[in-house]
Every structure is written in structure tokens, then in C-alpha cells.
Amino acid sequence: MELLIANESHFKYAEIICDTIADSAKTRGTGIAKRTPEYIRKKLENGNAVIALDGTTFAGFCYIEVWGHGKYVANSGLIVHPDYRDRGLAKQIKQRIFDLSGEKFPDAKIFGITTGLAVMKINYELGYKPTTFSELTDDPEFWKGCQTCKNFDILTRTERKMCLCTAMLYDPKAVSKKKTAEEKEKLNTKAFKRLKSIKESLFLKKK
Ligand SMILES: CC(C)(COP(=O)(O)OP(=O)(O)OC[C@H]1O[C@@H](n2cnc3c(N)ncnc32)[C@H](O)[C@@H]1OP(=O)(O)O)[C@@H](O)C(=O)NCCC(=O)NCCS
């Protein structure tokens, strides 16, 4: 398995990346911001993405988005192909894109919003902390991305204060040194599962 900083030579993977993201969201029944192959190709072209390849077979992907004129970056669109899950690949991809974000945008805060427990766990171990939506970028283009998510009405109803996603933020200024494997804290998954179910019962309309 190779983890590469993507470039134009990976344009041929743009469709499978989009299809795998869309299929996984359908299977999970969760909301997701839709991505087009053209958008993915831009990320590949700018060197703002990491792709995992097993020989020439697509295995995983994640990209960097820049918001608020470089004050914030997000590591988005994490996807591991179903054939390559549960062997630590997402963790490796996230570490690689996190390191790349730090190299390219050393002063930027790194954030993400997600409903996925796996992503929360990985982010937490990287040093992200859960936070409120008000601490994230107010760049309207970022929030526009949520329009294609099926839960967008919740975000609108709460005036962008909360949604089913949890916000997580890494502030490079608040972190004094890189944590060793032993020092890395584990996410309290029980608390997050509980929080998610409370939010679902509050916000999702009963059928
Ligand atoms: C979520 C996803 C990226 C995980 O990929 P993966 O390569 O299987 O993940 P890893 O093997 O690196 O696992 C990382 C951690 O998450 C946990 N994890 C993995 N899948 C999980 C799941 N569905 N639910 C809860 N925890 C999960 C693992 O146990 C591991 O935890 P540990 O460090 O305590 O052992 C993959 O399932 C996927 O692409 N899903 C669809 C897209 C998606 O949900 N993207 C995130 C959108 S925000």
C-alpha cells in the first residue's frame, strides 16, 4: 500500500473517489456534502490531497480545504474503499493529510465536522478537541457545502449553531509539543454515542 500526495497523474481516480463517497453515505444513511469529479481533480492538481493505492487499485483518499483566507483548513472527504477498511488505513491517511496541512499552512487552525465515530476517534488522537460551530470558520463557502447534506434543514433551523455533526478543532498554537503514542488520549466513545442519539432525537423529525 502506498500513500501519496496526489497530482495530475491521479485524475483517473476522481470518479471512483466520488462514487465511493456517495455509495458509503447511502449505505450509512447519513448526510454528506456531495463532491464532483471536477472538484476532486482541482484538489489533486493543487497537491492538496492524499491518495492510498494498492498497486493501481484505489484504496483511500482525503483532501485539504482552505477557508477564511488561510486562517482555517479542513481535512475533508475522508474515504476508505470497503475492501480496505478495518486495518488502520484511515488513521494513516488522516495522519498524512494532517502533516501535509501543517507543512503547507503552519498557522492555520485545522477543523472538521463529522457524524462518524471513527473520524472523531482519529481526530481526537491527533490532538483535535470537540468544539462549538461558532469556533469554526464563518466562511460562507464552507457552510454552503452543507447544502447538499440531507440534514441541512437542521443547520438552518438552529441558525448554524448545531447539527448532527460534531465540530472538532486543532489549534497549532494551543498544542505545545507532539504527543507520543503513549500520551495520546482516547476519545470517550460512549459519551459521543450518547450525544449523537440525543441530537438525533431532538432534531430528526419522526416519520
Ligand atoms: C470511516 C472510515 C474512513 C474508516 O476507515 P478504516 O480504514 O476502516 O478506519 P481505521 O481502520 O483506520 O480505524 C480507525 C479507528 O476507527 C475505528 N472505526 C473504524 N470504523 C468504525 C466505525 N464504523 N464505527 C466506529 N469506529 C470505527 C477503528 O476501530 C479504529 O479505532 P481504534 O483506534 O480505537 O482501533 C471508513 O469506514 C469509510 O470510508 N467510511 C465511509 C466514509 C466516511 O464515513 N467518512 C467519514 C466522513 S466524515
Side-chain angles (χ1 to χ4, degrees), residues 24 28 32 78-80 84-91 113-119 121-122 125 186:
S24 298
R28 289 194 304 155
I32 195 91
L78 175 70
I79 187 75
V80 169
Y84 294 93
R85 288 182 189 165
D86 298 323
R87 54 173 93 169
L89 186 56
K91 225 179 225 187
I113 60 172
T114 183
T115 55
L117 194 57
V119 175
K121 273 183 172 179
I122 299 171
E125 285 175 36
K186 292 264 179 194

Side-chain angles (χ1 to χ4, degrees), residues 179-203:
K179 289 188 173 166
T180 63
E182 294 75 42
E183 286 172 326
K184 280 184 184 169
E185 291 166 65
K186 292 264 179 194
L187 182 80
N188 181 343
T189 52
K190 221 168 139 189
F192 271 95
K193 279 186 186 154
R194 179 96 187 101
L195 176 67
K196 197 173 167 192
S197 95
I198 292 170
K199 285 207 278 187
E200 282 172 356
S201 61
L202 275 176
F203 294 129

Side-chain angles (χ1 to χ4, degrees), residues 159-172:
E159 294 169 344
R160 226 168 69 187
K161 287 191 181 71
M162 59 182 92
C163 200
L164 294 188
C165 274
T166 296
M168 297 187 86
L169 183 74
Y170 174 88
D171 182 350

Side-chain angles (χ1 to χ4, degrees), residues 113-133:
I113 60 172
T114 183
T115 55
L117 194 57
V119 175
M120 282 188 222
K121 273 183 172 179
I122 299 171
N123 285 352
Y124 198 75
E125 285 175 36
L126 286 168
Y128 289 60
K129 297 285 176 239
T131 189
T132 56
F133 281 15

